[in-house]
Every structure is written in structure tokens, then in C-alpha cells.
Amino acid sequence: MLKTNTTLAFLVVASNEIGDAGASALAGALENNSTLAVLALDRNDIKNEGATALARSLLRNSGLAVLTLDTNDFDEDGAFEFEEAMTKNTTLVDLSFDSCVSVSSETAESVHS
């Protein structure tokens, strides 16, 4: 549905335990979606596999401005996947993965800068 979406701009899928499978499915849909501007995936048990899929989708996405991944379960490796995406994606202005206990504040700052 998101692959062909032309109206939905804001989607909150917080606290649904979508895990890596759900994050990967959303990532596939995001690759060609230019309408969705805000996606909140907080508290969804997303680990490195899902974080990597989402980060890679941002390399092709041209609409998402805000992505929140707060309180998920990926670590430094998953967080670093977003670093390249942040340098190449021109529309994403706010990426948040606060309270991911395995991501240090230094890593989070490095990815955001």
C-alpha cells in the first residue's frame, strides 16, 4: 500500500512489535515512496537487520523528512547504517533513535552530524 501511496503523509506504527520483518517490509515500501513525510517506529523491537533495511531504503527515498526509531533494540552497527543515508538523502532532516540502550550518545551524535 505504501508503494503506491499518494495521500498518506504521517504514519505512526509505535509499540506494535513489528520487529525486523515489519521494518524490512516498510523499508521496501519506502524506497519508491515520495509522499510519506513522517514515520514513527518507536518501541517496535527493531534490531540491526531492520535498522539496516530502513537505512538503505533512505538512499532511494525522496520524501521522508522525519524518522523516529526511539526505544528499539539495534546497536552501534545498526546505527552506523544511517550515517551514509544521512549524507545522501536530501529530504530527511530529523532522525531519532533515542533510548536505544546499545547505541552510545557519541554514535548518535556522529550519525546526526
Side-chain angles (χ1 to χ4, degrees):
M1 178 163 217
L2 279 179
K3 286 183 180 182
T4 58
N5 169 51
T6 59
T7 56
L8 185 66
F10 191 101
L11 179 61
V12 177
V13 188
S15 300
N16 280 283
E17 297 182 20
I18 65 169
D20 289 335
S24 294
L26 283 169
L30 283 176
E31 285 185 4
N32 298 310
N33 181 294
S34 60
T35 306
L36 191 67
V38 178
L39 178 59
L41 297 174
D42 307 325
R43 297 175 306 281
N44 270 303
D45 196 33
I46 298 169
K47 296 179 177 58
N48 286 347
E49 181 183 331
T52 297
L54 287 165
R56 291 182 181 165
S57 75
L58 295 176
L59 296 172
R60 293 193 181 107
N61 179 276
S62 62
L64 200 63
V66 177
L67 175 60
T68 65
L69 293 161
D70 300 338
T71 317
N72 276 291
D73 296 323
F74 54 90
D75 61 22
E76 305 268 327
D77 292 334
F80 276 123
E81 291 289 335
F82 288 98
E83 193 164 27
E84 180 182 7
M86 292 296 288
T87 61
K88 294 186 178 180
N89 182 300
T90 59
T91 58
L92 191 68
V93 294
D94 187 10
L95 171 65
S96 174
F97 40 83
D98 296 336
S99 300
C100 291
V101 294
S102 297
V103 178
S104 70
S105 57
E106 293 83 11
T107 297
E109 182 63 31
S110 170
V111 171
H112 291 116
S113 58

